Amino acid sequence: AARDAARARLLPAGELTEFADCALVLEAVLERLEAKQELFRALEDIVDEDCLLATNTSSLSVTAIGGALRSASRLVGLHFFNPAPLLPLVEVVSGFATDVTSATRAYETARSWGKTPVACADTPGFIVNRIARPFYAEAFAVHEAQAADPATIDAVLRESGGFRMGAFELTDLIGQDVNESVTHSVWQAFFQDVRFTPSLSQRRLVEAGRLGRKTGHGWYDYADDAEPAEPHTAEPADRPAYVVAEGDLGPAAEVLALIREAGIQVREEDEDHGTRLVLPSGGQLVLADGQTSVEFRDVVYFDLALDYRRATRIALSAGHETLPQTLGEAIGLFQALGKQVSVIGDVPGMIVARTVARIVDLAHDAVAKGVATEEDIDTAMRLGVNYPLGPFEWSRRLGRDFAYDLLDDLHLRDPSGRYAPSLALYRHAYATEKREGAS
């Protein structure tokens, strides 16, 4: 009965003239500028002047589409997310010439359908496809640096970062060609800004025709007889008898409580050495901060987690100067906390920390440039791509300067500009603090 009722509400149109009485026309035709412009030019001569015209484009400029119309004031973007019947988010995009009344009508219409609309300006990628780029880019970069395999990176993003899927399995689901096309479109639209540079390894997948689940092979092999890819997991190691805590570990402060609950002695020292744990070997255990283990004599880094109590896996990284005993004690420590441990290569910022820091940075930059509000960005990232927290929720949880300091350290080690923190993030992290200090 529900099927028949739904079908009765659908009226296929054989000619564009049948749209003459519509109050809203929403197109989802070929993602090509000329095709959309041609369609809207034709509709302009058919529908009434008060008919709202909307485009579901995910990567083209609403302003450019409207540039072919006599009056672009009634053209607005209504970008749905797949599957559209299930996902509530709709980005309501105002082009340069879009009238405020038109944008408001589109927003209220989407809300009346039971959707959750967010308002944004017409910039490349809008909200979600702009701010989500680092989720894919940083996972691919860690892989290209030979620091970890796709299964391990995905497991860390899921089990430590709290993301619903890892970047490799998600792009296999989306389609490597589709995901790379969006990345390339955003990169080009930002005049080849290095922050949005596409991945060479993903390009090779597309060239090889390994597009993901739809072709049976992408980052992973989906053949019936294929062995499932398993993340690297460290062998059991002995727990340390004690740790020395120097500082409160900042965003990882919950780790100290977990160590005590596991029956491991925590000795606290007030020495001003930053925030770290010292293991019985004398080696240090430090939260990922954008530096590398090779810069120090005996350091193991551990990755950021959404919730250290609930996380089931923790990533560690060690350099050539890290003593095997120190790495073993670090592994044993987190295993004693009930975590599986993945040891990755010595990459600054590791996996979750660098990904979240870049997402936070792009979100602050977007607000500063008038793309959307903090609230709408958080809503869009939670509902559009199922992030466990919105960027500003992450930012508040991590503390005012965590993301900036990590990216600043990363930028020193990779001065290409990819990790250069935005002025907006700098202002968030330090401008207020320094002004208060000066007063």
Side-chain angles (χ1 to χ4, degrees):
R3 176 201 64 199
D4 292 341
R7 186 174 289 167
R9 291 192 296 271
L10 294 173
L11 303 175
E15 301 291 339
L16 288 182
T17 53
E18 296 181 50
F19 293 115
D21 296 331
C22 288
L24 165 65
V25 178
L26 169 63
E27 68 78 20
V29 303
L30 188 66
E31 192 74 351
R32 197 172 67 219
L33 179 62
E34 297 78 9
K36 294 181 184 294
Q37 289 177 328
E38 181 181 350
L39 173 63
F40 282 122
R41 276 196 299 265
L43 285 169
E44 211 174 18
D45 294 328
I46 296 170
V47 300
D48 290 339
E49 290 185 1
D50 63 349
C51 174
L52 192 63
L53 300 178
T55 172
N56 184 48
T57 185
S58 61
S59 60
L60 298 177
S61 164
V62 174
T63 301
I65 294 170
L69 303 182
R70 291 192 300 273
S71 174
S73 62
R74 59 172 166 171
L75 178 69
V76 65
L78 280 177
H79 180 217
F80 291 75
F81 289 78
N82 282 324
L86 298 180
L87 293 187
L89 184 70
V90 179
E91 291 177 324
V92 181
V93 186
S94 295
F96 184 78
T98 302
D99 186 85
V100 174
T101 303
S102 298
T104 301
R105 285 178 62 200
Y107 187 97
E108 293 301 331
T109 299
R111 188 161 65 175
S112 73
W113 294 336
K115 296 295 186 181
T116 304
V118 292
C120 63
D122 182 25
T123 59
F126 310 140
I127 298 175
V128 173
N129 280 328
R130 172 181 181 148
I131 295 173
R133 293 349 294 164
F135 179 73
Y136 313 109
E138 294 312 307
F140 298 161
V142 171
H143 175 55
E144 289 171 359
Q146 303 292 297
D149 60 275
T152 299
I153 296 170
D154 277 353
V156 171
L157 286 169
R158 289 193 312 269
E159 299 175 43
S160 183
F163 292 96
R164 187 72 58 87
M165 299 178 75
F168 297 90
E169 57 187 338
L170 180 55
T171 53
D172 267 359
L173 179 64
I174 294 169
Q176 299 302 331
D177 53 338
V178 174
N179 183 259
E180 196 223 17
S181 176
V182 173
T183 298
H184 195 271
S185 174
V186 172
W187 176 61
Q188 290 284 24
F190 276 113
F191 307 105
Q192 301 186 357
D193 187 329
V194 68
R195 295 177 301 167
F196 302 100
T197 301
S199 161
L200 179 59
S201 57
Q202 187 179 41
R203 173 95 292 261
R204 292 292 179 257
L205 276 184
V206 174
E207 291 172 340
R210 294 186 172 185
L211 307 182
R213 288 182 176 271
K214 62 186 176 184
T215 61
H217 205 304
W219 294 107
Y220 300 111
D221 186 351
Y222 298 95
D224 292 339
D225 59 350
E227 291 288 332
E230 298 292 339
H232 167 76
T233 302
E235 295 294 327
D238 294 333
R239 64 167 61 193
Y242 67 90
V243 296
V244 179
E246 296 179 348
D248 62 3
L249 298 188
E254 183 71 7
V255 171
L256 290 176
L258 294 175
I259 293 172
R260 291 187 177 96
E261 290 170 18
I264 298 174
Q265 182 185 6
V266 177
R267 303 173 183 174
E268 297 189 26
E269 291 190 1
D270 296 329
E271 294 183 37
D272 186 17
H273 290 301
T275 57
R276 65 183 185 182
L277 295 176
V278 180
L279 298 164
S281 65
Q284 303 172 44
L285 184 59
V286 182
L287 176 63
D289 59 6
Q291 301 183 79
T292 59
S293 297
V294 75
E295 300 171 51
F296 305 96
R297 186 186 67 81
D298 193 16
V299 167
V300 174
Y301 278 103
F302 67 99
D303 207 353
L304 183 67
L306 172 68
D307 183 334
Y308 283 99
R309 185 170 293 276
R310 296 184 179 180
T312 57
R313 183 178 299 271
I314 294 293
L316 303 179
S317 70
H320 298 302
E321 298 296 320
T322 305
L323 297 177
Q325 181 182 353
T326 298
L327 179 58
E329 289 174 346
I331 292 171
L333 174 65
F334 280 105
Q335 288 175 340
L337 307 186
K339 318 300 182 186
Q340 292 186 304
V341 176
S342 292
V343 179
I344 69 171
D346 187 20
V347 286
M350 301 191 69
I351 298 171
V352 179
R354 69 196 286 176
T355 299
V356 170
R358 287 207 59 212
I359 289 170
V360 167
D361 182 48
L362 289 184
H364 278 278
D365 185 54
V367 169
K369 293 177 178 173
V371 175
T373 65
E374 291 186 9
E375 181 181 4
D376 276 355
I377 287 175
D378 275 354
T379 298
M381 302 311 291
R382 286 197 315 270
L383 299 184
V385 279
N386 281 318
Y387 282 7
L389 294 175
F392 293 97
E393 292 172 318
W394 265 113
S395 184
R396 288 188 289 272
R397 178 177 291 200
L398 295 174
R400 182 172 289 274
D401 56 358
F402 178 84
Y404 178 86
D405 287 352
L406 187 144
L407 291 176
D408 195 39
D409 278 336
L410 267 168
H411 178 54
L412 289 174
R413 288 150 185 82
D414 177 2
S416 64
R418 177 188 181 104
Y419 299 104
S422 66
L423 179 59
L425 189 63
Y426 170 76
R427 285 172 172 154
H428 170 75
Y430 286 110
T432 300
E433 176 183 312
K434 291 185 176 181
R435 185 168 60 250
E436 290 172 352
S439 64

